[in-house]
Amino acid sequence: MSTADEREVLERIGRGLIYSESEAAFQAPLRRADLVFAYNQTPPSDGARRRGLLESIFASVGERTILNSPFSAAFGGNVHIGDDFYGNVNVTFVDDVEIRIGDGVMIAPNVTLTTTGHPVHPARRVDFARFSEPIVIEDKVWIGSNVVVLPGVRIGYGSVIGAGSVVSRDVPPMVVAVGVPARVLRAITDADLTTRTTAPQ
């Protein structure tokens, strides 16, 4: 594939249009699967090596980052993580395009952040055809266990995504969203500052 052809495919990817596995094959060397494997095999006690591997895997990593192993990433190099991040076991980053995660974000076990989907009609899924749209998770978001965040979604500041939800559309700031598909359940208010501050009666 020529450089001009590669540029055309990248432009299509950037516009959220359909592209195939063969067309995107030139990106394969950018995958950091061996580094992800190495991280997942490194003892938690070897903090310096784990930190170095995260810096090699991801596009950017903030301070005081905790990412429990194992995790997986399609590329790794399209993921940006802010400060004070906590990711529990089995986080999956399908980062064919950018995933941007702000500061103070917490992600529970078995969460998938996927920037990529596939056409509904089978005739359009030849050669693993797909589309990709970036994901943005703003500061102070908490994502519960077994959540799936789909392509093109932005989750607003401070919001909570309930366990088992599928987030298929944007979530505004400072709300609790739950369900399949996820919908806003309620706003987060100052009343939430007083919950679980005393023992149950």
Side-chain angles (χ1 to χ4, degrees):
M1 180 179 285
S2 70
T3 302
D5 289 337
E6 291 179 3
R7 281 199 300 266
E8 189 276 330
V9 173
L10 289 173
E11 180 183 350
R12 223 180 321 140
I13 293 171
R15 293 171 58 200
L17 301 177
I18 301 296
Y19 62 100
S20 72
E21 178 72 16
S22 297
E23 290 174 323
F26 68 91
Q27 293 188 298
L30 300 176
R31 296 181 185 272
R32 296 170 180 172
D34 286 349
L35 293 173
V36 173
F37 180 84
Y39 182 89
N40 288 332
Q41 302 301 312
T42 301
S45 58
D46 194 348
R49 174 162 168 73
R50 285 166 71 88
R51 173 69 192 190
L53 284 166
L54 286 182
E55 290 176 351
S56 297
I57 293 165
F58 294 133
S60 59
V61 186
E63 300 298 321
R64 299 170 299 279
T65 295
I66 298 172
L67 180 56
N68 292 340
S69 53
F71 82 95
S72 61
F75 285 88
N78 291 320
V79 177
H80 300 263
I81 296 176
D83 296 336
D84 301 305
F85 171 81
Y86 182 86
N88 215 319
V89 295
N90 296 321
V91 176
T92 298
F93 302 94
V94 184
D95 63 317
D96 291 20
V97 296
E98 281 193 341
I99 297 173
R100 291 196 167 267
I101 299 172
D103 298 336
V105 171
M106 298 192 302
I107 297 182
N110 305 313
V111 168
T112 298
L113 309 176
T114 179
T115 66
T116 295
H118 300 275
V120 172
H121 198 291
R124 302 201 68 196
R125 295 199 297 270
V126 174
D127 193 16
F128 307 109
R130 55 192 181 265
F131 60 89
S132 300
E133 297 179 354
I135 289 171
V136 177
I137 299 171
E138 296 183 4
D139 297 349
K140 306 292 187 183
V141 167
W142 171 26
I143 299 178
S145 298
N146 300 300
V147 167
V148 178
V149 180
L150 295 177
V153 165
R154 175 183 287 266
I155 301 176
Y157 173 92
S159 285
V160 174
I161 309 300
S165 298
V166 176
V167 188
S168 59
R169 64 184 70 181
D170 290 354
V171 175
M174 293 296 286
V175 299
V176 176
V178 300
V180 181
R183 300 186 188 282
V184 174
L185 178 66
R186 66 176 180 86
I188 296 170
T189 70
D190 287 350
D192 292 300
L193 294 170
T194 63
T195 58
R196 295 184 183 267
T197 56
T198 59
Q201 301 300 313

